[in-house]
Amino acid sequence: RAGTTPARARLAALTAALCAAALIAPASAGAHPALLQASPTAGLVAPQAPRAIELSLSEAAVPSGSRIELSELAGDPVPLGEPRARSGGTTLSAAPDHVLDPGVYEVRWSALGADGHTVGGRFAFGVAGKHGEDPPGVQALVAYGSRGGPGEQTAAGEGAFSVIARWLGIAAAAFLLGGWALLARLERAGRGGAPGLGEDEIGAGRERWRTLTPPVWALLLLASSGSALSAAWAGAGSQLDLGTLLDSASGRGIAIQFGLLVLITPALVVLGRRPAARDLALAAGGAVVLVSDALVGHVQTVGDGKGLAAFAAVLHSCSAGIWFGGLLALIAVTRRAAPGPRPALAASARAFAPVAAAALAVSVITGVVAALRELDDVYFLRWSGYGNLVIVKAGLVAVAAAIGGFVALRARRGAEPRGRPLALEAGVLALVVIAAAALSGLVPGRGQALPAERGNLLPGPALASAIVDGGPVRVTLAPARAGANVISAVQEPAPGRQTVREPSAVRARLTCECTSSPIEATLDRGSGGAWSADVELPADGTWFARVQLDDSQASAVALPVGVPSAPGPAPLKVLAIADLSGRDAAECRSHLLGVELAVGRLNALGGVDGGRKVVLDALDSGGSATRAAELARAELDQGGVLAMVGACGEGAATAVTAASDAGVPSIVADPSVAQVSAPGVFRLAGDPYAEGYAQAQYIEQVAAASAESDVVRAVRTGTPSNGRLLEGLRAGLADTELKLEPIPERAISSGPGPLAATLDRSAAAAVVLDGDPDRLASDLRGLGAERLDFATAPVIADSSVFSEQLVRRSGAIGRIGALQGATEVAPDSAIAATYARAVPALYPGELPTLDGLRGYVAGLALADGLADGVEPDSVIARLVQPAPFADALLAPWRSDAPAAGSSRFEFLKANFLPPTLIPTSAGGESQSGDYFTDGTWSRVNADPLGPPFEQPVPPLADTS
């Protein structure tokens, strides 16, 4: 057994040293002051010129080592004052020396953190015109990707020089402090009569250690001065600045460390004749470095709980240093190569073992806690350089432990330790130390963005509004990925107008810095006024499109193409099959804009499934049911589809059926999509039966009070949804004195005279409209563009055709509020207000719509469905019993009939603001509304209406 003691001792010493060295690094790595929010907001247009550029940071910054630069976008620099800090350094600001003119500006910034590391980035913002109009070049903001977020930013790790200097200093300090502790333990063990630890052996060992301390002390001074120089160079501009060194908390700590070492150096010379006091001074110098190292770097950025983190860091650094340095000293004082007496390895290891065990335990606990704090998320363990190196280091520790186990097993069997296994174990230990040194210079996870939060938060179809004579042109590029795309353009009337002049030819020119050749496209007219063309994009990037209508050329608009890449699993897709070039192009475009906003919100909150980005994959069906099914099946076959959200327009029901067949859940929010009775279908749009029932309640409670007739007229189109609506209307009127009179579509299109007779208050208590929205708008506008010469009954449009576009184009009947409609979403809710504010801010020139609000709520429903996981079964299980995910939805689908749709409605009419007497050009106030250029929606009933909840939902036709 005596022969096994050295092997056990060496095994214990090397294994513990390996673990201690592996755990030193995590506490030495630092986080960084990431930009949380900027003012003016990145990617948005400020209503007036800002007094200063303000950066709100996640951690305190050092003003003298930070900078903020401002320039006109692709233009001249704008002078700014020196950065100033407030709120404890978490806010940096710099003021321009003059009032900024309307335009688009770029900000470049760099912030030096209290930990001595820097973060830099850039973003753009706009300054609105005198009367709130968008500035020239506003579409260029889209090219920056992060609209409303913090913009692009990168965190810099430590340089190689500072890493080497720091770790040389730690190794030297550990040798001094750990060696002193080892020799103290040997003396105590020798006094207890431990064999091989007599006075001669211990004295020889102490002299060996003292012989090594002068060069080690010189190395300590050199490393500390190198760290101080690195801290002085860490500020903006990478110039030597001693002021930056002293302004940074970490820099001050390094400066204090170096100053104390300089003060101790002459004391070592003076104490040359008092060896014991000199040894204590050397140990104190080592402790100074280990303690100061623990108190700089990442501890300065912890925020709340900094005191506890600093205490744990000191424990970690000193305990690991004592054990690691004690091991180095143990090897030095017991080595066989030197002549003369020496302490016995086995006895020395046994004497140091209690200290080593305690130090190892403290190092492991505090090191693991620090590592977990710095990784912050499991994503960074798997997909960042820092996390990968942690895994490598853990693997090396496992290898070393396996080698140690092999040595221990042989020792138990009485075999002497061999040189090769111990040499191999020492080599693995060297690799662990190298990995630990490299970790200190890498950026950890804490404070860093997840993949979902990087780059463009809105990776879906590219949407933009161009300016041209006659009204805005809504441009859509879908799916906005390299490869096959569809570009479409829809012109809307200018404010105050109800129609647009139909162009005879529409062309588009697309250019991108990512390719040298522009793309020319001739657009064809669709059935609903949309012009579109297929284009093949060779690369991702920011494409600029310039649309020309006859001889009128619209302003260039930016169309981001592609999904920002990040290490890790591929993004997850939300599939949308929508009509972007046919009859429903305008409504479906708004619908997808709402879905895209909700997806952006999901990404901003960290994405799903470990930080993965969610992208909206929108494809154009052109209104064709056959094409919708083909597109859906092709995408579903590729996999990676979370859900179908955004099915929109005529024919999209076949895409919903395809998703159900593939086991993928669908959330249907567009009322024009036919009901699909199939597993996994959740209809957020209203159930036509419930809508008809609600219409009957509204007519009885509100319209009948002033009606001169007991007849309720309703257009019969012959479609399944219209038949279901009439069924609900008939059921709702059953117990009233009102009579339902179905009328054919031709009664609406028979001309102004017959139509006026149909709508006259004396002939009907109310009239329910359904059919083609463009034809309905044209027929209603024929009654009068400015005023009506007869008293009309309330005209209630079916939710599938009721929209801002219908109201705008219907002439006087929409302007006076006689055209009304039912909706399952509330535009006066808090969620709707958030949506309404986000649309013009993130998509310059766009207006919120009911269709867009439906899309936004559908996206929120998806986010709630993903709360328990991304697998289809878990999403479906959660959606069957929906939580209250949005106050904008009056009532979600019923759990016993999720494919039927919402069963609660409110009724709206347009409420337009009167124009001021003084035009804006003469200094008057501009008139603006939420859902119209000069108005918004007004609710005309008190409480949500619909059939009783205890009433069974009429069965749907089987479409599975």
Side-chain angles (χ1 to χ4, degrees), residues 671-722:
S672 65
V673 177
Q675 290 171 302
V676 176
S677 178
V681 177
F682 303 92
R683 187 176 175 89
L684 185 149
D687 178 3
Y689 175 87
E691 181 179 350
Y693 199 102
Q695 289 175 351
Q697 292 175 315
Y698 171 70
I699 294 170
E700 180 191 14
Q701 296 174 13
V702 179
S706 58
E708 301 176 12
S709 172
D710 61 357
V711 175
V712 175
R713 290 174 172 163
V715 174
R716 175 187 286 141
T717 64
T719 64
S721 61
N722 177 261

Side-chain angles (χ1 to χ4, degrees), residues 670-917:
D670 176 27
S672 65
V673 177
Q675 290 171 302
V676 176
S677 178
V681 177
F682 303 92
R683 187 176 175 89
L684 185 149
D687 178 3
Y689 175 87
E691 181 179 350
Y693 199 102
Q695 289 175 351
Q697 292 175 315
Y698 171 70
I699 294 170
E700 180 191 14
Q701 296 174 13
V702 179
S706 58
E708 301 176 12
S709 172
D710 61 357
V711 175
V712 175
R713 290 174 172 163
V715 174
R716 175 187 286 141
T717 64
T719 64
S721 61
N722 177 261
R724 190 170 173 87
L725 182 137
L726 293 178
E727 181 184 354
L729 187 58
R730 186 176 292 107
L733 296 176
D735 296 329
T736 72
E737 297 181 355
L738 299 172
K739 302 174 184 177
L740 179 61
E741 180 187 322
I743 58 175
E745 288 185 87
R746 62 176 181 274
I748 305 298
S749 302
S750 55
L755 177 57
T758 299
L759 304 182
D760 194 282
R761 178 178 296 179
S762 62
V767 179
V768 178
L769 296 185
D770 198 355
D772 181 274
D774 289 336
R775 187 172 67 249
L776 287 174
S778 176
D779 293 336
L780 294 174
R781 189 169 58 251
L783 297 174
E786 303 296 334
R787 65 182 185 86
L788 299 179
D789 56 6
F790 70 98
T792 178
V795 178
I796 303 173
D798 173 70
S799 61
S800 64
V801 299
F802 187 57
S803 67
E804 293 80 9
Q805 188 173 4
L806 178 67
V807 171
R808 281 197 305 266
R809 296 184 175 184
S810 63
I813 197 170
R815 194 80 190 179
I816 65 175
L819 179 58
Q820 302 168 8
T823 173
E824 74 286 354
V825 291
D828 56 353
S829 60
I831 289 291
T834 300
Y835 158 77
R837 287 193 298 266
V839 169
L842 298 176
Y843 300 89
E846 303 284 349
L847 285 174
T849 66
L850 288 177
D851 289 302
L853 179 57
R854 290 185 174 104
Y856 185 68
V857 174
L860 299 183
L862 172 67
D864 180 73
L866 296 172
D868 296 332
V870 299
E871 294 301 320
D873 290 345
S874 63
V875 176
I876 291 173
R878 185 170 179 90
L879 290 178
V880 166
Q881 298 287 345
F885 51 82
D887 65 350
L889 184 61
L890 299 178
W893 50 83
R894 288 175 49 155
S895 58
D896 59 341
S902 176
S903 61
R904 286 294 177 269
F905 299 83
E906 69 179 23
F907 287 77
L908 305 176
K909 69 176 182 179
N911 184 25
F912 291 96
L913 302 173
T916 57
L917 298 177

Side-chain angles (χ1 to χ4, degrees), residues 459-558:
L463 310 169
S465 291
I467 305 301
V468 71
D469 293 340
V473 178
R474 311 299 187 190
V475 181
T476 305
L477 182 69
R481 309 283 187 270
N485 284 262
V486 173
I487 183 172
S488 64
V490 178
Q491 187 174 17
E492 294 184 357
R497 297 183 182 178
Q498 299 170 2
T499 59
V500 296
R501 183 179 65 85
E502 183 73 20
S504 58
V506 177
R507 293 178 293 276
R509 178 183 175 90
L510 293 94
T511 58
C512 177
E513 292 183 357
C514 56
T515 182
S516 58
S517 302
I519 295 176
E520 304 283 351
T522 299
L523 280 63
D524 299 321
R525 191 186 188 284
S527 59
W531 295 74
S532 65
D534 295 331
V535 292
E536 187 78 19
L537 301 183
D540 291 340
T542 300
W543 287 79
F544 287 87
R546 191 177 291 275
V547 178
Q548 183 171 336
L549 290 79
D550 293 336
D551 295 329
S552 298
Q553 193 171 73
S555 58
V557 293

